[in-house]
Amino acid sequence: MGPQARTCHLLFLLLHAVTKPGELVENSDFHLAGDYLLGGLFSLHANVKSISHLSYLQVPKCKEYDMKVLGYNLMQAMRFAVEEINNCSALLPGVLLGYEMVDVCYHSNNVQPGLYFLAQDDDFLPILQDYSHYMPHVVAVIGPDNSESAITVSNLLSHFLIPQITYSAISDKLRDKKRFPAMLRTVPSATHHIEAMVQLMLHFHWNWIVVLASNDDYGRENGQLLSQRLVNTGDICIAFQEVLPIPEPSQGMRPEEQSQLDSILDKLHRTTARVVVVFSPELALRNFFLEVLRWNFTGLVWIASESWAIDPVLHNLTELRHTGTFLGITIQRVSIPGFSEFRVRHTKVEHPVANKTNPRATCNQECDACLNITESFNNILMLSGERVVYSVYSAVYAVAHALHRFLSCNQIRCTKETVNPWKLLRELRQVNFTLLGNQLFFDQNGDMPMILDIIQWQWDLSQNPFQSIASYSPTHQRMSFIANVSWHTPNNTIPMSMCSKSCQPGQSKKPVGLNPCCFECMDCPPGTYLNRSADEFNCLPCPASTWSHKNGITCFKRRQAFLEWHEASTIMVAILAALGFFSTLAVLLIFWRHFQTPMVRSAGGPMCFLMLVPLLLAFGMVPVYVGPPTVFTCLCRQAFFTICFSICLACITVRSFQIVCVFKIARRLPRAYGFWVRYRGPYVFVVFITAIKAVLVAANMLTTTINPIGRTDPDDPNIMILSCHPNYRNGLLLNTSMDLLLSVAGFSFAYMGKELPTNYNEAKFITLSMTFSFTSSTSLCTFMSIYDGVLVTVMDLLVTVLNFLAISLGYFGPKCYMILFYPERNTPAYFNSMIQGYTMRKN
Ligand SMILES: *[C@@H]1O[C@H](CO)[C@@H](O)[C@H](O)[C@H]1NC(C)=O
Ligand SMILES: *[C@@H]1O[C@H](CO)[C@@H](O)[C@H](O)[C@H]1NC(C)=O
Ligand SMILES: *[C@@H]1O[C@H](CO)[C@@H](O)[C@H](O)[C@H]1NC(C)=O
Ligand SMILES: *[C@@H]1O[C@H](CO)[C@@H](O)[C@H](O)[C@H]1NC(C)=O
Ligand SMILES: *[C@@H]1O[C@H](CO)[C@@H](O)[C@H](O)[C@H]1NC(C)=O
Ligand SMILES: *[C@@H]1O[C@H](CO)[C@@H](O)[C@H](O)[C@H]1NC(C)=O
Ligand SMILES: *[C@@H]1O[C@H](CO)[C@@H](O)[C@H](O)[C@H]1NC(C)=O
Ligand SMILES: *[C@@H]1O[C@H](CO)[C@@H](O)[C@H](O)[C@H]1NC(C)=O
Ligand SMILES: *[C@@H]1O[C@H](CO)[C@@H](O)[C@H](O)[C@H]1NC(C)=O
């Protein structure tokens, strides 16, 4: 047996087992005779738990269960729509729509009404190979209300492709048109409800929520959808998720359910989350909220799923207002003129409809208390307006429009063909009509893009108890807020529901536990910054040459420190340098003027100029120490001055050597002396020394760098000290050791010539100058090793200038003095006499 055949067999058995004609009530709310019948499935009662019994084969009796107040309201909406369509001549002229309604009591009584609709008028469901021409009792079915029943009924009806339009079953499963080919609905799917909820929470910055879901398909499915949606984005975290017990129909809570509720409420009492999302059929919630009242909660925000968002019975627990704010997701409000009166209209005794089809009846087509109870809630129903009612209303109109197309109706008449439901289904998918200002059609998934509303519960008797505060459009997936929420908090502040308060700018998050919403805020230390869009959890170090304060969100450029002209120390050193420059220039001029005099010749003759020119250049180059360092100035600082200094030292050394040793060499090693003179030994020596020095300096530069670098001021990180590479001072030791060798040589020659006449004797000067030079160099090195600021540059400059001054003034100064003020001593005769005196003393 194939599945199709098996189903038929089952149907046949069931049909004969359960169908039993009830008493015929001509003018019941549940029937209307007509040319074409619509089936209507509503929950007037509800057995949320749906206990199935196995001991007897009887259709459940819905009236034994709790009343579901809104069910009758929806049923009336269908009756109203059909009556309106019949009254209005334009849509289906000359055609009467009829209906058959059955109470499905939530999901206890689905199969029997399904079979009832499928069977022919004589309650017979034939076993056929081909049902293409089969005419069931109804052409389309409206309902039922919840997804579980809708799926059950659809499993029956879809075999016959009977169009089924549900008005409040939101399950995403129903989108699957392979499984439910004949299922359409006038309500957005659960995904949109969840999305609206999430956008609501995001709008109010709630990211720490509690989810309570009933222990049935509705609760489980939607709870899971919500947690999946939240996991995907990660903006909102669930503090805890609990399952609400569903009580037995018409009974109090059992002890284990009581303790389960108690533990949930205890958890709710202790959590810091203030927002509670509740997915549950409304009948399971009355006990829950009575418990909530017992626990004296305050300041919570309840978010109601569509199942209970506009339930007047729960709303009548007016004490709930003290527990906090109630928000809910539901269908938009569309007012249907005339419906309020119709809702509580008592059916007239006489039936105006011609008996075109045999009226029949089945069980569960009664609700004696419905009208009276609906009347008792009439005030709140009237104030709250039509929401889900509009879904039912538009479902009926969709069928009417499909019939209109199928029967090729014009203004006056329709062709009254037989309507095969599967053909009607094709028309139904195509309908596109305007109803009370809304453009209605079914999308690919068979859903009507109805707008969702976020509502707030209000207990002010004159107002709409379910005030819209925002609306959500499924097509655009966007929320727009239309009114302010009144929060019932001091100063009407928006309640906070966050695991951790959001961090201040510049504070990084340190996760606590596994939830991304729970964290500690850590200050970013100076020198680091936080870029929220890139990484909320780590402070990033500032790039070089920038800095940040504590809790920085950006790095700023550090103030650059270098030697500047307007500083006192610079001015002082500049004055010294200028003094050196001009005195050296003066010496140069004087020596030039008196070039042929013995004083100049004894001081080195042309070699004096070899010393004076570098000296002059060195003084002239002092400005390279001032201003931000560049490659050029660093090159000068690291190479030029030291080479100048070495040239001077070399000249002095070679000059001392000449004075003291030349005669001895000439006497003892005449050949060597010949070479020395012929090849201009002094100059070769100076060039040689300079070359060695240049190689040393170049090697030093290659190992370090001549690019200026920036370092953090140890005292103030906001300041960056720009300087040449400080490592060149390590090379300074090498430099210095060579200078030291030179000066030791110069000093020994000078010492050897200490008995020479004073005008040849330089020992005192060289000792002084060299001692100064080395003490200053070593103290500079020491200073640099302990201090790092701009002062180092000043010291460097000062030492350089003083060294050159020592040579310039110390060496040349006395000679100039003699040349200018004792010209009588600057004669060959005087020099000869001095030398003669010296030679005589020696002998
Ligand atoms: C339909 O017409 C009847 C008679 O005119 C009227 O009493 C009834 O209110 C109308 N029903 C609707 C839903 O308009
Ligand atoms: C709620 O408040 C009432 C009266 O103020 C008090 O008797 C009761 O113990 C409170 N219930 C809880 C659970 O705190
Ligand atoms: C239809 O109703 C009329 C009275 O309104 C009655 O006389 C007639 O017998 C009925 N026809 C059938 C087939 O029941
Ligand atoms: C409905 O209310 C009316 C009076 O308001 C009463 O006479 C009638 O018995 C009630 N019906 C039921 C089923 O309770
Ligand atoms: C609302 O609740 C009050 C008691 O809390 C009750 O008296 C009243 O009848 C209820 N309203 C309806 C319409 O049931
Ligand atoms: C429905 O009809 C309106 C205008 O009559 C049109 O703009 C809209 O695109 C139609 N929608 C669909 C889904 O066909
Ligand atoms: C909400 O209230 C603020 C000030 O309280 C007001 O500026 C704003 O227009 C209100 N928004 C709506 C939608 O009423
Ligand atoms: C309410 O607002 C007033 C004035 O704006 C302020 O002084 C008071 O502290 C606020 N109360 C609360 C609970 O925020
Ligand atoms: C922060 O990070 C984003 C993305 O990586 C980047 O576009 C932006 O420029 C950064 N902002 C700052 C101040 O670094």
Side-chain angles (χ1 to χ4, degrees), residues 64 390 487 510 546 601 694:
E64 291 173 359
Y390 180 70
W487 294 108
K510 181 173 165 239
T546 59
R601 293 167 73 99

Side-chain angles (χ1 to χ4, degrees), residues 486-508:
S486 45
W487 294 108
H488 313 296
T489 49
N491 283 5
N492 200 21
T493 50
I494 298 174
M496 300 264 285
S497 189
M498 293 177 146
C499 182
S500 307
K501 279 198 179 138
S502 43
C503 293
Q504 301 293 316
Q507 286 187 320
S508 65

Side-chain angles (χ1 to χ4, degrees), residues 433-539:
F433 59 100
T434 315
L435 188 62
L436 298 176
N438 292 299
Q439 188 74 32
L440 300 181
F441 53 86
F442 294 103
D443 66 11
Q444 249 92 12
N445 301 314
D447 293 351
M448 229 177 230
M450 292 275 191
I451 307 255
L452 290 176
D453 265 10
I454 311 292
I455 47 118
Q456 180 187 13
W457 284 19
Q458 286 179 331
W459 285 275
D460 184 342
L461 282 180
S462 60
Q463 274 185 339
N464 184 344
F466 308 116
Q467 185 82 48
S468 298
I469 55 158
S471 71
Y472 171 86
S473 155
T475 28
H476 304 110
Q477 307 211 344
R478 199 170 306 124
M479 185 98 101
S480 55
F481 284 80
I482 49 181
N484 283 326
V485 182
S486 45
W487 294 108
H488 313 296
T489 49
N491 283 5
N492 200 21
T493 50
I494 298 174
M496 300 264 285
S497 189
M498 293 177 146
C499 182
S500 307
K501 279 198 179 138
S502 43
C503 293
Q504 301 293 316
Q507 286 187 320
S508 65
K509 293 178 175 177
K510 181 173 165 239
V512 174
L514 294 174
N515 252 324
C517 305
C518 305
F519 45 80
E520 282 171 25
C521 296
M522 311 288 282
D523 292 336
C524 281
T528 65
Y529 73 108
L530 188 80
N531 185 351
R532 274 202 183 151
S533 47
D535 185 355
E536 286 188 305
F537 294 94
N538 292 300
C539 303

Side-chain angles (χ1 to χ4, degrees), residues 517-571:
C517 305
C518 305
F519 45 80
E520 282 171 25
C521 296
M522 311 288 282
D523 292 336
C524 281
T528 65
Y529 73 108
L530 188 80
N531 185 351
R532 274 202 183 151
S533 47
D535 185 355
E536 286 188 305
F537 294 94
N538 292 300
C539 303
L540 303 171
C542 283
S545 89
T546 59
W547 194 250
S548 65
H549 295 301
K550 193 177 163 196
N551 290 356
I553 52 170
T554 51
C555 298
F556 51 84
K557 274 214 160 342
R558 284 191 272 198
R559 190 164 71 74
Q560 297 183 336
F562 44 80
L563 209 56
E564 287 175 274
W565 279 116
H566 57 74
E567 286 166 46
S569 51
T570 318
I571 293 170

